[in-house]
Amino acid sequence: MSESSTALTKLWPLAPAGVTDWLHAVCGDGLTGFMPPAMPDAAWVLNAMYEHERGPMETTHHEYHQARLEDGSVQPHIIGGVDLDAISVTTGGGLGRAEHPGSGWRRLRWAELARRTGDPVVPDGLLPSYRCFPSVRKEGSWPLGIVPPTEGSLDRETWTRLLEILTEHSPAGPVTRCLAYYSPLTLGASDFENLHVRVGKLGDAAILYDDPETDFSPSNLWAEDRSWCLCTDYDLWATKVVGSQVLVDALVSDFEIEAIRLPWTTT
């Protein structure tokens, strides 16, 4: 067992069976994550996207990838005799954990991109996902100078700041007892019967982001007293956080993360 696995297991051992029963009763199937209703309020914490200092550029991620295939810089992705590059679009987005891409890139707020394009931050009736910002994409692919939000996981910076806010608004602070659930899809889709849940303290939750068994932040994290709960759905670009109005107000007014209320998602 690696050193990181040992530390994680010590701080966040596996929880007993049945700890997700209440979520199943409230939310239904948790295959992509248990999506809770408002408790009593809710906000969506949006995954980060980034823009290069030279701007969005005309070339798309797909066009760039196709050019590299043609000049031999990269090899085609072939599975079972099927050339996936020939039948799919390279969108520019990723799946799983993400972080700041480095020098030359800056955080691009959803609100800023919405003002620039005229697209809504999230179209009415929809959830934060690949369906947002249709005017930015060309044939499904984003401009090469923009890294769109990742799916299925919080980015590292947002995860870190979100834990700080949750700690500030939990009565027991960093010693708040919490549980973390990982969807089977984040663990290789190999076991759909035995749900993977860990139990630990909120102050030790940062280590969950680097769990060597997965490439995702937890699908659900909640306080044992159920005063708040978050869900990072495998198919979405944001995390729904439910809890008190004070907590949700703190999220939507924070200067580091970007969070919004979506009234059509409160139930």
Side-chain angles (χ1 to χ4, degrees), residues 193-218:
E193 299 299 324
N194 303 297
L195 299 187
H196 189 89
V197 185
R198 294 187 179 277
V199 58
K201 296 177 181 177
L202 183 55
D204 296 324
I207 196 173
L208 294 172
Y209 199 82
D210 295 302
D211 186 341
E213 295 183 11
T214 180
D215 294 322
F216 298 78
S217 61

Side-chain angles (χ1 to χ4, degrees), residues 54-71:
R54 287 179 289 182
M57 307 179 195
E58 292 296 325
T59 303
T60 67
H61 285 273
H62 184 72
E63 291 168 339
Y64 178 69
H65 182 64
Q66 291 298 311
R68 297 187 71 201
L69 286 169
E70 289 178 11
D71 66 20

Side-chain angles (χ1 to χ4, degrees), residues 32-36 43-49 94 96 107 110 121-122 126-130 132-133 148-155 158 162 217-220 230-241 258-262 265:
T32 60
F34 291 103
M35 188 63 68
W44 289 83
V45 176
L46 307 173
N47 288 348
M49 69 177 91
R107 176 81 177 263
W110 292 48
V121 173
V122 178
L126 298 184
L127 299 178
S129 70
Y130 74 93
C132 296
F133 300 109
T150 188
E151 284 185 348
S153 175
L154 286 155
D155 58 276
T158 302
L162 179 55
S217 61
S219 305
N220 290 93
L230 65 82
C231 174
T232 305
D233 188 280
Y234 187 81
D235 294 323
L236 298 181
W237 283 359
T239 291
K240 187 179 184 181
V241 181
E258 188 173 12
I260 58 173
R261 285 181 170 92
L262 298 178
T265 68

Side-chain angles (χ1 to χ4, degrees), residues 47-250:
N47 288 348
M49 69 177 91
Y50 302 93
E51 184 175 49
H52 197 271
E53 59 189 12
R54 287 179 289 182
M57 307 179 195
E58 292 296 325
T59 303
T60 67
H61 285 273
H62 184 72
E63 291 168 339
Y64 178 69
H65 182 64
Q66 291 298 311
R68 297 187 71 201
L69 286 169
E70 289 178 11
D71 66 20
S73 299
V74 296
Q75 297 301 309
H77 191 197
I78 299 176
I79 296 180
V82 177
D83 184 353
L84 298 183
D85 292 301
I87 61 174
S88 61
V89 174
T90 303
T91 64
L95 178 65
R97 291 190 294 245
E99 52 190 286
H100 194 287
S103 178
W105 295 85
R106 69 174 185 90
R107 176 81 177 263
L108 175 61
R109 300 263 168 181
W110 292 48
E112 178 186 346
L113 188 58
R115 289 192 297 269
R116 183 191 302 175
T117 62
D119 289 334
V121 173
V122 178
D124 285 354
L126 298 184
L127 299 178
S129 70
Y130 74 93
R131 299 172 72 180
C132 296
F133 300 109
S135 71
V136 178
R137 304 188 305 271
K138 184 167 120 181
E139 298 179 351
S141 184
W142 283 69
L144 190 59
I146 296 179
V147 178
T150 188
E151 284 185 348
S153 175
L154 286 155
D155 58 276
R156 184 179 297 276
E157 292 80 10
T158 302
W159 166 259
T160 300
R161 179 56 184 152
L162 179 55
L163 291 181
E164 293 173 351
I165 296 173
L166 291 172
T167 301
E168 293 168 4
H169 291 83
S170 296
V175 298
T176 298
R177 187 174 167 89
C178 299
L179 296 105
Y181 162 70
Y182 291 86
S183 155
L185 299 180
T186 71
L187 297 167
S190 59
D191 187 352
F192 294 88
E193 299 299 324
N194 303 297
L195 299 187
H196 189 89
V197 185
R198 294 187 179 277
V199 58
K201 296 177 181 177
L202 183 55
D204 296 324
I207 196 173
L208 294 172
Y209 199 82
D210 295 302
D211 186 341
E213 295 183 11
T214 180
D215 294 322
F216 298 78
S217 61
S219 305
N220 290 93
L221 180 73
W222 68 95
E224 188 177 50
D225 66 2
R226 306 178 190 176
S227 56
W228 53 262
C229 177
L230 65 82
C231 174
T232 305
D233 188 280
Y234 187 81
D235 294 323
L236 298 181
W237 283 359
T239 291
K240 187 179 184 181
V241 181
V242 301
S244 68
Q245 182 178 339
V246 173
L247 169 60
V248 172
D249 284 344

